[in-house]
Amino acid sequence: MSSVHHRTATVGGHEIFYREAGPADAPAIVLLHGFPTSSFMFRDLIPLLSDKYHVIAPDHLGFGHSDAPRADAFTYTFDALADLTAGLLDGLGVDRYALYVQDYGAPIGWRLALRNPEHVTAVVTQNGNGYEEGFVESFWKDVWAYGDAPGPDTEPAVRAALSVDAVRWQYLHGVSDPSLVSPDTWEHDVALLSREGNDRIQLALFRDYRSNRPLYPRLHAYLRDSGVPVLAVWGRNDEIFAPAGARAFARDAEDAEVHLIDGGHFLLESRLDVVAGYLRGFLGRVLGQETTGGRPRALTAG
């Protein structure tokens, strides 16, 4: 098993933390985490990939062990987070990679793919939305309201997402056996969210989330035109991004492989073995055929 290295790089004047494992000359896969976590969410997946792949998992600015400049000193947007991720990969000399995206990692990954489609060898989305389908209204209505009219009337509802109860819910909802999910997960996230000023960082990103939706038509065109292989592995009980968001990828990505798995938003915490099995099979097929331009016939499962 390959060792996992814990490193930092200076990008745009900020220290970006990342986990790295596997041979430097192997096909690369970049793991992009969601809210409210960090590359910590990939701690158990990385060793399962690093025998064959060069794995890189950064913490976005404001998350995990990366720098977290105050929201009045840095403009937190998904464009800015994508810029920093691109800068990190450029500094590491990684210009061909598969993307694994989850939650916030999805709009960051979509920006990377749209800017430089030739860099992306494959796309894996695990509860990372790219369509209007999939947004669960009961969760998102407060985010949309806050983005449309930030202020004292709309902020309390989204600020509640930073509470320990809300973070715990993200990990446990939709999980048939909650005892599989370690409390270390949400306690780790809450400790980092509770740092002075971090609430303002998260509120800034809540406000900016609506900037992601106008990208979707360009994303869909990219999926159709590029022929990039797509795997969607999705917790089918997710009450943030519903299964319709996974199925939608099959509309634009030729032979998209879609698997709905018994689990919730943070699927790796309860079904790591299942996700890793699909992921290794998919990467082995599509990256192995990359130089010939061939595409495997993939399964779409409902």
Side-chain angles (χ1 to χ4, degrees), residues 135-213:
F135 288 110
V136 177
E137 181 61 19
S138 59
F139 181 89
W140 287 96
K141 60 182 176 61
D142 293 331
V143 178
W144 305 142
Y146 181 60
D148 289 339
D153 293 334
T154 56
E155 182 179 309
V158 292
R159 183 176 281 277
L162 308 180
S163 70
V164 62
D165 288 343
V167 176
R168 182 192 300 113
W169 175 84
Q170 286 210 36
Y171 278 96
L172 297 183
H173 84 273
V175 179
S176 56
D177 183 358
S179 70
L180 293 172
V181 182
S182 170
D184 296 340
T185 55
W186 63 79
E187 291 179 359
H188 175 87
D189 291 352
V190 169
L192 294 171
L193 289 173
S194 300
R195 292 174 294 177
E196 183 178 359
N198 197 266
D199 57 339
R200 292 295 169 188
I201 293 172
Q202 305 307 329
L203 290 173
L205 290 170
F206 289 160
R207 291 193 298 272
D208 191 58
Y209 198 91
R210 62 179 184 166
S211 72
N212 299 324
R213 297 168 79 182

Coordinates of all heavy atoms in Angstrom, one line a residue, residues 135-213:
F135 N -31.7 18.9 -7.2 CA -31.8 19.8 -6.0 C -33.1 19.4 -5.2 O -34.2 19.5 -5.7 CB -31.9 21.2 -6.4 CG -30.6 21.8 -7.0 CD1 -30.5 22.1 -8.3 CD2 -29.5 22.0 -6.1 CE1 -29.3 22.6 -8.8 CE2 -28.3 22.5 -6.6 CZ -28.2 22.8 -8.0
V136 N -32.9 19.1 -3.9 CA -34.0 18.8 -3.0 C -34.5 20.1 -2.5 O -33.8 20.8 -1.7 CB -33.6 17.8 -1.9 CG1 -34.8 17.5 -1.0 CG2 -33.1 16.5 -2.5
E137 N -35.7 20.5 -2.8 CA -36.3 21.8 -2.5 C -36.3 22.1 -1.0 O -35.9 23.2 -0.6 CB -37.7 21.9 -3.1 CG -38.3 23.3 -2.9 CD -37.5 24.5 -3.5 OE1 -36.7 24.2 -4.5 OE2 -37.7 25.6 -3.1
S138 N -36.6 21.1 -0.2 CA -36.6 21.4 1.2 C -35.3 21.8 1.8 O -35.2 22.5 2.8 CB -37.2 20.1 2.0 OG -36.3 19.0 1.7
F139 N -34.2 21.4 1.2 CA -32.9 21.8 1.6 C -32.4 23.1 1.0 O -31.9 23.9 1.6 CB -31.9 20.7 1.3 CG -30.4 21.0 1.7 CD1 -30.0 20.6 3.0 CD2 -29.6 21.6 0.9 CE1 -28.7 20.9 3.4 CE2 -28.3 21.9 1.3 CZ -27.9 21.6 2.5
W140 N -32.7 23.2 -0.3 CA -32.1 24.3 -1.1 C -32.9 25.6 -1.1 O -32.4 26.7 -1.4 CB -31.9 23.9 -2.5 CG -30.8 22.9 -2.6 CD1 -30.8 21.6 -2.7 CD2 -29.4 23.3 -2.7 NE1 -29.5 21.1 -2.7 CE2 -28.6 22.1 -2.7 CE3 -28.7 24.5 -2.7 CZ2 -27.2 22.1 -2.7 CZ3 -27.3 24.5 -2.7 CH2 -26.6 23.3 -2.7
K141 N -34.2 25.6 -0.7 CA -35.0 26.8 -0.7 C -34.4 27.9 0.1 O -34.4 29.1 -0.3 CB -36.4 26.5 -0.3 CG -36.6 26.0 1.1 CD -38.1 25.7 1.4 CE -38.3 25.1 2.8 NZ -37.8 26.0 3.9
D142 N -33.8 27.6 1.2 CA -33.2 28.6 2.1 C -31.9 29.2 1.5 O -31.6 30.4 1.6 CB -32.9 28.1 3.5 CG -34.2 27.8 4.2 OD1 -35.2 28.4 4.0 OD2 -34.1 26.8 5.1
V143 N -31.1 28.3 0.8 CA -29.9 28.8 0.1 C -30.3 29.7 -1.0 O -29.6 30.8 -1.2 CB -29.1 27.6 -0.4 CG1 -27.9 28.0 -1.1 CG2 -28.7 26.6 0.7
W144 N -31.3 29.3 -1.8 CA -31.7 30.2 -2.9 C -32.2 31.6 -2.4 O -31.9 32.6 -3.0 CB -32.8 29.6 -3.8 CG -32.5 28.2 -4.4 CD1 -33.3 27.2 -4.5 CD2 -31.2 27.8 -4.9 NE1 -32.7 26.1 -5.1 CE2 -31.4 26.4 -5.3 CE3 -29.9 28.3 -5.1 CZ2 -30.4 25.6 -5.9 CZ3 -28.9 27.5 -5.6 CH2 -29.2 26.2 -6.1
A145 N -33.0 31.5 -1.3 CA -33.5 32.8 -0.8 C -32.4 33.7 -0.3 O -32.4 34.9 -0.5 CB -34.5 32.5 0.3
Y146 N -31.4 33.1 0.4 CA -30.3 33.9 0.9 C -29.4 34.4 -0.3 O -29.0 35.6 -0.2 CB -29.4 33.0 1.8 CG -28.2 33.7 2.4 CD1 -28.4 34.8 3.2 CD2 -26.9 33.2 2.2 CE1 -27.3 35.5 3.8 CE2 -25.8 33.9 2.7 CZ -26.0 35.0 3.5 OH -24.9 35.6 4.1
G147 N -29.2 33.6 -1.3 CA -28.4 34.1 -2.5 C -29.1 35.3 -3.2 O -28.5 36.2 -3.7
D148 N -30.5 35.2 -3.2 CA -31.2 36.2 -3.9 C -31.3 37.5 -3.1 O -31.3 38.6 -3.7 CB -32.7 35.7 -4.2 CG -32.7 34.6 -5.3 OD1 -31.7 34.6 -6.1 OD2 -33.7 33.9 -5.4
A149 N -31.4 37.4 -1.8 CA -31.6 38.6 -0.9 C -30.8 38.4 0.4 O -31.5 38.1 1.4 CB -33.1 38.8 -0.7
P150 N -29.5 38.4 0.4 CA -28.8 38.3 1.7 C -29.2 39.3 2.7 O -29.3 40.5 2.3 CB -27.3 38.4 1.2 CG -27.3 38.3 -0.3 CD -28.6 38.8 -0.7
G151 N -29.4 38.9 3.9 CA -29.7 39.9 4.9 C -30.3 39.2 6.2 O -30.3 38.0 6.2
P152 N -30.7 40.0 7.1 CA -31.1 39.4 8.4 C -32.4 38.5 8.3 O -32.6 37.7 9.2 CB -31.4 40.7 9.3 CG -31.6 41.8 8.3 CD -30.8 41.5 7.1
D153 N -33.2 38.7 7.2 CA -34.3 37.8 7.1 C -34.0 36.5 6.6 O -34.7 35.5 6.8 CB -35.4 38.5 6.2 CG -35.9 39.8 6.8 OD1 -36.0 39.9 8.0 OD2 -36.4 40.7 6.0
T154 N -32.9 36.4 5.8 CA -32.6 35.1 5.1 C -31.4 34.4 5.7 O -31.2 33.2 5.5 CB -32.4 35.3 3.6 OG1 -31.3 36.3 3.5 CG2 -33.7 35.7 2.9
E155 N -30.5 35.2 6.4 CA -29.3 34.6 6.9 C -29.5 33.5 8.0 O -28.8 32.5 8.0 CB -28.4 35.7 7.4 CG -27.0 35.1 7.9 CD -26.1 36.2 8.4 OE1 -25.9 37.2 7.6 OE2 -25.6 36.1 9.5
P156 N -30.4 33.7 9.0 CA -30.5 32.7 10.1 C -30.7 31.3 9.6 O -30.2 30.3 10.1 CB -31.6 33.2 10.9 CG -31.6 34.7 10.7 CD -31.3 34.9 9.2
A157 N -31.5 31.1 8.5 CA -31.8 29.8 8.0 C -30.6 29.1 7.5 O -30.4 27.9 7.7 CB -32.9 29.8 7.0
V158 N -29.7 29.8 6.7 CA -28.6 29.2 6.2 C -27.5 29.0 7.3 O -26.7 28.1 7.2 CB -28.0 29.9 4.9 CG1 -29.0 29.7 3.8 CG2 -27.7 31.3 5.2
R159 N -27.4 30.0 8.2 CA -26.4 29.9 9.3 C -26.6 28.6 10.1 O -25.7 28.0 10.6 CB -26.5 31.1 10.1 CG -25.5 31.2 11.2 CD -25.6 32.5 12.0 NE -24.9 33.6 11.3 CZ -23.6 33.8 11.4 NH1 -22.8 33.0 12.0 NH2 -23.1 34.8 10.7
A160 N -27.9 28.2 10.1 CA -28.2 26.9 10.9 C -27.5 25.7 10.3 O -27.2 24.7 11.0 CB -29.7 26.7 10.9
A161 N -27.1 25.8 9.0 CA -26.3 24.7 8.4 C -25.0 24.5 9.0 O -24.3 23.5 8.8 CB -26.2 24.9 6.9
L162 N -24.5 25.5 9.8 CA -23.1 25.4 10.4 C -23.2 24.8 11.8 O -22.1 24.6 12.4 CB -22.5 26.8 10.5 CG -22.5 27.6 9.2 CD1 -21.9 29.0 9.5 CD2 -21.8 26.9 8.1
S163 N -24.4 24.4 12.3 CA -24.5 23.9 13.6 C -24.1 22.4 13.6 O -24.1 21.7 12.6 CB -25.9 24.0 14.1 OG -26.8 23.1 13.4
V164 N -23.8 21.9 14.8 CA -23.4 20.5 15.0 C -24.5 19.6 14.6 O -24.3 18.6 13.9 CB -22.9 20.2 16.4 CG1 -24.0 20.5 17.4 CG2 -22.3 18.8 16.5
D165 N -25.8 20.0 14.9 CA -26.9 19.1 14.5 C -27.0 19.0 13.0 O -27.3 17.9 12.5 CB -28.2 19.6 15.1 CG -28.3 19.4 16.6 OD1 -27.5 18.6 17.1 OD2 -29.1 20.1 17.3
A166 N -26.8 20.1 12.3 CA -27.0 20.1 10.8 C -25.8 19.3 10.2 O -26.1 18.6 9.2 CB -27.0 21.5 10.3
V167 N -24.6 19.5 10.7 CA -23.5 18.7 10.1 C -23.7 17.2 10.4 O -23.4 16.4 9.5 CB -22.2 19.3 10.7 CG1 -21.0 18.4 10.1 CG2 -22.0 20.7 10.3
R168 N -24.1 16.9 11.6 CA -24.3 15.5 11.9 C -25.4 14.9 11.0 O -25.2 13.8 10.5 CB -24.7 15.3 13.4 CG -25.0 13.9 13.8 CD -25.7 13.7 15.1 NE -24.9 14.4 16.2 CZ -25.3 15.4 16.9 NH1 -26.5 16.0 16.6 NH2 -24.6 15.9 17.9
W169 N -26.4 15.7 10.7 CA -27.5 15.2 9.8 C -26.9 14.9 8.5 O -27.3 13.9 7.8 CB -28.6 16.3 9.8 CG -29.7 16.0 8.8 CD1 -30.8 15.2 9.0 CD2 -29.7 16.4 7.4 NE1 -31.5 15.1 7.8 CE2 -30.9 15.8 6.8 CE3 -28.9 17.2 6.6 CZ2 -31.3 16.1 5.5 CZ3 -29.3 17.5 5.3 CH2 -30.4 16.9 4.8
Q170 N -26.0 15.8 8.0 CA -25.5 15.5 6.6 C -24.8 14.1 6.6 O -24.9 13.5 5.5 CB -24.5 16.6 6.2 CG -25.1 17.9 5.9 CD -24.3 18.7 4.9 OE1 -23.7 18.1 4.0 NE2 -24.3 20.0 5.0
Y171 N -24.2 13.7 7.6 CA -23.5 12.5 7.6 C -24.4 11.3 7.8 O -24.2 10.2 7.3 CB -22.4 12.5 8.7 CG -21.1 13.1 8.3 CD1 -20.9 14.5 8.6 CD2 -20.2 12.5 7.5 CE1 -19.7 15.1 8.1 CE2 -19.0 13.1 7.1 CZ -18.8 14.4 7.4 OH -17.7 15.0 6.9
L172 N -25.5 11.4 8.6 CA -26.3 10.3 9.0 C -27.6 10.1 8.2 O -28.1 9.0 8.2 CB -26.6 10.4 10.5 CG -25.4 10.4 11.5 CD1 -25.9 10.4 12.9 CD2 -24.6 9.2 11.3
H173 N -28.1 11.2 7.6 CA -29.4 11.0 6.9 C -29.2 10.0 5.8 O -28.2 10.0 5.0 CB -29.9 12.3 6.4 CG -29.4 12.8 5.1 ND1 -28.2 13.6 5.0 CD2 -29.8 12.6 3.8 CE1 -28.0 13.8 3.7 NE2 -28.9 13.3 3.0
G174 N -30.2 9.1 5.6 CA -30.1 8.2 4.5 C -29.2 7.0 4.7 O -29.1 6.2 3.8
V175 N -28.6 6.9 5.9 CA -27.7 5.8 6.1 C -28.5 4.7 6.9 O -29.0 5.0 8.0 CB -26.5 6.2 6.9 CG1 -25.5 5.0 7.2 CG2 -25.7 7.3 6.2
S176 N -28.6 3.5 6.3 CA -29.4 2.5 6.9 C -28.8 2.0 8.3 O -29.6 1.6 9.1 CB -29.6 1.3 6.0 OG -28.4 0.8 5.5
D177 N -27.5 2.0 8.4 CA -26.9 1.7 9.7 C -26.0 2.8 10.1 O -24.8 2.8 9.8 CB -26.1 0.4 9.5 CG -25.4 -0.1 10.8 OD1 -25.6 0.6 11.8 OD2 -24.8 -1.2 10.7
P178 N -26.5 3.8 10.9 CA -25.7 4.9 11.3 C -24.5 4.6 12.1 O -23.5 5.4 12.2 CB -26.7 5.8 12.1 CG -28.0 5.3 11.6 CD -27.9 3.9 11.3
S179 N -24.4 3.4 12.7 CA -23.3 3.0 13.5 C -22.0 2.8 12.7 O -20.9 2.8 13.2 CB -23.6 1.7 14.3 OG -23.6 0.6 13.4
L180 N -22.2 2.8 11.3 CA -21.0 2.7 10.5 C -20.3 4.0 10.3 O -19.1 4.1 9.8 CB -21.5 2.2 9.1 CG -22.0 0.8 9.0 CD1 -22.5 0.5 7.6 CD2 -20.9 -0.2 9.3
V181 N -20.9 5.1 10.7 CA -20.4 6.5 10.5 C -19.7 6.9 11.8 O -20.4 7.1 12.8 CB -21.5 7.5 10.0 CG1 -20.8 8.8 9.7 CG2 -22.2 6.9 8.8
S182 N -18.4 7.2 11.7 CA -17.7 7.6 12.9 C -18.1 9.0 13.3 O -18.1 9.9 12.4 CB -16.2 7.6 12.6 OG -15.5 8.2 13.7
P183 N -18.3 9.3 14.6 CA -18.6 10.7 15.0 C -17.4 11.6 14.8 O -17.5 12.8 14.7 CB -18.8 10.5 16.5 CG -19.2 9.1 16.7 CD -18.5 8.3 15.7
D184 N -16.2 11.0 14.5 CA -15.0 11.8 14.2 C -15.3 12.7 13.0 O -14.7 13.8 12.9 CB -13.8 11.0 14.0 CG -13.4 10.2 15.2 OD1 -13.8 10.6 16.3 OD2 -12.7 9.2 15.0
T185 N -16.1 12.2 12.1 CA -16.4 13.0 10.8 C -17.0 14.3 11.1 O -16.4 15.4 10.8 CB -17.3 12.2 9.9 OG1 -18.5 11.8 10.6 CG2 -16.6 10.9 9.4
W186 N -18.2 14.3 11.8 CA -18.8 15.6 12.0 C -18.1 16.5 13.0 O -18.1 17.7 13.0 CB -20.3 15.5 12.3 CG -20.7 14.7 13.5 CD1 -20.7 15.2 14.8 CD2 -21.2 13.4 13.6 NE1 -21.1 14.2 15.6 CE2 -21.4 13.1 14.9 CE3 -21.4 12.4 12.6 CZ2 -21.9 11.9 15.4 CZ3 -21.9 11.1 13.0 CH2 -22.1 10.9 14.4
E187 N -17.5 15.8 14.0 CA -16.8 16.6 15.0 C -15.6 17.3 14.4 O -15.3 18.4 14.8 CB -16.4 15.7 16.2 CG -17.6 15.2 17.0 CD -17.2 14.3 18.2 OE1 -16.0 14.0 18.3 OE2 -18.1 13.8 18.9
H188 N -14.9 16.6 13.5 CA -13.8 17.2 12.8 C -14.3 18.5 12.0 O -13.6 19.5 12.1 CB -13.2 16.2 11.8 CG -12.1 16.7 10.9 ND1 -10.8 16.7 11.3 CD2 -12.2 17.2 9.7 CE1 -10.1 17.2 10.3 NE2 -10.9 17.5 9.3
D189 N -15.4 18.3 11.3 CA -15.9 19.4 10.5 C -16.3 20.6 11.3 O -16.0 21.7 11.0 CB -17.0 18.9 9.6 CG -16.6 18.0 8.5 OD1 -15.4 17.8 8.3 OD2 -17.5 17.4 7.8
V190 N -17.1 20.3 12.4 CA -17.6 21.3 13.2 C -16.5 22.1 13.9 O -16.5 23.3 14.0 CB -18.6 20.8 14.3 CG1 -18.9 21.8 15.3 CG2 -19.8 20.2 13.6
A191 N -15.4 21.4 14.3 CA -14.3 22.1 14.9 C -13.7 23.2 14.0 O -13.3 24.3 14.4 CB -13.2 21.1 15.3
L192 N -13.6 22.8 12.7 CA -13.0 23.7 11.7 C -14.0 24.8 11.3 O -13.6 26.0 11.1 CB -12.6 22.9 10.5 CG -11.4 22.0 10.7 CD1 -11.2 21.1 9.5 CD2 -10.1 22.7 11.0
L193 N -15.3 24.5 11.3 CA -16.3 25.5 11.0 C -16.4 26.5 12.1 O -16.7 27.7 11.9 CB -17.7 24.9 10.8 CG -17.9 24.1 9.6 CD1 -19.3 23.4 9.7 CD2 -17.9 25.0 8.3
S194 N -16.0 26.1 13.3 CA -16.1 27.0 14.5 C -14.9 27.9 14.7 O -15.0 28.8 15.6 CB -16.2 26.1 15.8 OG -17.4 25.3 15.7
R195 N -14.0 27.9 13.8 CA -12.9 28.8 13.9 C -13.4 30.3 13.7 O -14.3 30.5 12.9 CB -11.8 28.5 12.8 CG -11.0 27.2 13.1 CD -10.1 26.9 12.0 NE -10.8 26.6 10.7 CZ -10.3 26.3 9.6 NH1 -8.9 26.3 9.5 NH2 -11.0 26.0 8.5
E196 N -12.7 31.2 14.4 CA -13.2 32.6 14.3 C -13.2 33.0 12.8 O -12.2 32.9 12.1 CB -12.3 33.5 15.1 CG -12.7 34.9 15.1 CD -11.8 35.8 16.0 OE1 -10.9 35.3 16.6 OE2 -12.1 37.1 16.0
G197 N -14.3 33.6 12.4 CA -14.4 34.1 11.0 C -14.8 33.1 10.0 O -15.2 33.5 8.8
N198 N -14.8 31.8 10.3 CA -15.1 30.8 9.3 C -16.6 30.9 8.9 O -16.9 30.5 7.7 CB -14.7 29.4 9.7 CG -14.6 28.4 8.6 OD1 -15.6 27.8 8.2 ND2 -13.4 28.4 7.9
D199 N -17.4 31.3 9.8 CA -18.8 31.4 9.4 C -19.0 32.4 8.3 O -19.8 32.1 7.3 CB -19.7 31.8 10.6 CG -19.2 33.1 11.2 OD1 -18.1 33.6 11.0 OD2 -20.1 33.8 12.0
R200 N -18.3 33.4 8.2 CA -18.4 34.4 7.1 C -17.9 33.8 5.8 O -18.4 34.2 4.7 CB -17.6 35.7 7.5 CG -18.3 36.5 8.6 CD -19.6 37.0 8.2 NE -20.4 37.5 9.4 CZ -21.7 37.9 9.3 NH1 -22.3 37.8 8.1 NH2 -22.3 38.4 10.3
I201 N -16.9 33.0 5.9 CA -16.4 32.3 4.7 C -17.6 31.4 4.1 O -17.8 31.5 2.9 CB -15.2 31.5 5.0 CG1 -14.0 32.4 5.4 CG2 -14.8 30.5 3.8 CD1 -12.8 31.6 5.9
Q202 N -18.2 30.7 5.0 CA -19.2 29.8 4.5 C -20.5 30.5 4.0 O -21.1 30.1 3.0 CB -19.6 28.8 5.6 CG -18.5 28.0 6.2 CD -17.6 27.3 5.2 OE1 -18.2 26.8 4.2 NE2 -16.3 27.1 5.4
L203 N -20.8 31.6 4.6 CA -21.9 32.4 4.2 C -21.6 33.0 2.8 O -22.5 33.1 1.9 CB -22.2 33.5 5.2 CG -22.8 33.1 6.5 CD1 -22.9 34.3 7.5 CD2 -24.2 32.5 6.3
A204 N -20.4 33.4 2.5 CA -20.0 33.9 1.2 C -20.2 32.9 0.1 O -20.7 33.2 -1.0 CB -18.6 34.4 1.2
L205 N -19.9 31.6 0.4 CA -20.0 30.6 -0.5 C -21.5 30.2 -0.7 O -21.9 29.8 -1.8 CB -19.2 29.4 -0.2 CG -17.7 29.6 -0.3 CD1 -16.9 28.5 0.3 CD2 -17.3 29.8 -1.8
F206 N -22.3 30.2 0.4 CA -23.7 30.0 0.2 C -24.3 31.0 -0.8 O -25.1 30.7 -1.6 CB -24.4 30.2 1.6 CG -24.2 29.0 2.5 CD1 -24.4 29.2 3.9 CD2 -23.7 27.8 2.1 CE1 -24.2 28.2 4.8 CE2 -23.5 26.8 3.0 CZ -23.7 27.0 4.4
R207 N -23.9 32.3 -0.6 CA -24.4 33.4 -1.5 C -24.0 33.1 -2.9 O -24.7 33.4 -3.9 CB -23.9 34.7 -1.0 CG -24.4 35.2 0.3 CD -24.2 36.7 0.5 NE -22.7 37.0 0.6 CZ -22.0 37.0 1.7 NH1 -22.6 36.6 2.8 NH2 -20.7 37.3 1.7
D208 N -22.8 32.6 -3.1 CA -22.3 32.4 -4.5 C -22.7 31.1 -5.1 O -22.5 31.0 -6.4 CB -20.7 32.4 -4.5 CG -20.1 32.6 -5.8 OD1 -20.4 33.5 -6.5 OD2 -19.3 31.7 -6.2
Y209 N -23.4 30.3 -4.4 CA -23.7 29.0 -5.0 C -24.6 29.1 -6.2 O -24.5 28.4 -7.2 CB -24.4 28.0 -4.0 CG -24.4 26.6 -4.5 CD1 -23.3 25.8 -4.1 CD2 -25.4 26.1 -5.4 CE1 -23.3 24.5 -4.6 CE2 -25.3 24.8 -5.9 CZ -24.3 24.0 -5.5 OH -24.2 22.7 -6.0
R210 N -25.4 30.2 -6.2 CA -26.3 30.3 -7.4 C -25.5 30.6 -8.7 O -26.1 30.5 -9.8 CB -27.3 31.5 -7.1 CG -26.7 32.8 -6.9 CD -27.8 33.9 -6.7 NE -27.2 35.2 -6.6 CZ -27.9 36.3 -6.6 NH1 -29.2 36.3 -6.8 NH2 -27.3 37.5 -6.5
S211 N -24.3 31.0 -8.6 CA -23.4 31.2 -9.8 C -23.1 29.9 -10.5 O -22.7 30.0 -11.7 CB -22.1 31.9 -9.4 OG -21.2 31.0 -8.7
N212 N -23.4 28.8 -9.9 CA -23.1 27.5 -10.5 C -24.1 27.1 -11.5 O -23.8 26.5 -12.5 CB -22.9 26.4 -9.4 CG -21.8 26.7 -8.4 OD1 -20.8 27.3 -8.8 ND2 -22.0 26.4 -7.2
R213 N -25.3 27.5 -11.3 CA -26.4 27.0 -12.1 C -26.3 27.5 -13.6 O -26.6 26.7 -14.5 CB -27.8 27.3 -11.5 CG -28.0 26.6 -10.1 CD -29.2 27.2 -9.4 NE -30.4 26.7 -9.8 CZ -31.6 27.0 -9.3 NH1 -31.7 27.9 -8.3 NH2 -32.7 26.5 -9.8

